[in-house]
Amino acid sequence: MSGAAVVLRASGKQSEAFLTRVEGLLERLWHDDPWAGLADRTAFEIAVIEAVSNSIRHALPAPGRSMVLEVELRPSYRRLEAEVREVGAEPTPLARHDSGVAPDAGRGMAMLKQLMTDVRYERADDANVWTLGRDRTDI
């Protein structure tokens, strides 16, 4: 990877078309970072697609708001990182449970935690923000 920071972004409404745009971002990422190893690429790609799919299926707009999804991919020499923002969304049910796991949580969150080095959730202004990070094993 070159010394310049590569940041890829997409934003749009909750839809399969948006998921396709994110898949295109991932393709661009691997074009810009052709040295990423297969294990890191695969884990990162699965996690990002799962997180965006979860946002498409489960995030709810706050009353009187329209919701937009934003995705940002931030690779660096030592780490692959993605941020998925649900702007204008209701707080996620995970944020309302001290245990960090909603009663109806599926296997998606467990899979994200297995694939990534860390998975963080925070509520920032009117957005749910999911940050997925994977320390690179290919360096």
Side-chain angles (χ1 to χ4, degrees):
M1 173 163 285
S2 69
V6 175
V7 177
L8 301 173
R9 294 180 181 94
S11 65
K13 299 209 182 275
Q14 289 172 286
S15 67
E16 291 300 315
F18 181 70
L19 184 58
T20 300
R21 287 182 56 207
V22 171
E23 290 168 342
L25 275 187
L26 288 161
E27 286 179 29
R28 265 190 59 207
L29 174 63
W30 307 137
H31 180 267
D32 293 344
D33 183 9
W35 306 279
L38 183 59
D40 288 334
R41 280 182 186 215
T42 302
F44 188 71
E45 194 163 317
I46 289 170
V48 169
I49 290 170
E50 177 66 21
V52 172
S53 294
N54 283 344
S55 292
I56 289 170
R57 283 192 304 268
H58 302 297
L60 299 172
R65 296 286 315 265
S66 60
M67 191 178 82
V68 174
L69 298 179
E70 297 177 349
V71 173
E72 186 171 283
L73 306 178
R74 299 184 299 250
S76 68
Y77 176 70
R78 297 206 175 270
R79 184 170 171 82
L80 296 168
E81 192 168 274
E83 184 176 276
V84 178
R85 298 176 67 85
E86 302 164 350
V87 180
E90 283 282 316
T92 185
L94 291 177
R96 294 191 293 258
H97 295 280
D98 293 334
S99 67
V101 178
D104 62 345
R107 287 167 272 181
M109 184 57 68
M111 181 174 61
L112 290 178
K113 288 180 177 180
Q114 285 183 346
L115 292 170
M116 299 285 92
T117 305
D118 54 86
V119 176
R120 295 184 315 274
Y121 166 83
E122 67 179 316
R123 182 74 183 169
D125 298 321
D126 68 340
N128 296 319
V129 182
W130 300 92
T131 305
L132 314 173
R134 180 174 171 90
D135 295 338
R136 292 171 68 135
T137 59
D138 58 354
I139 55 173

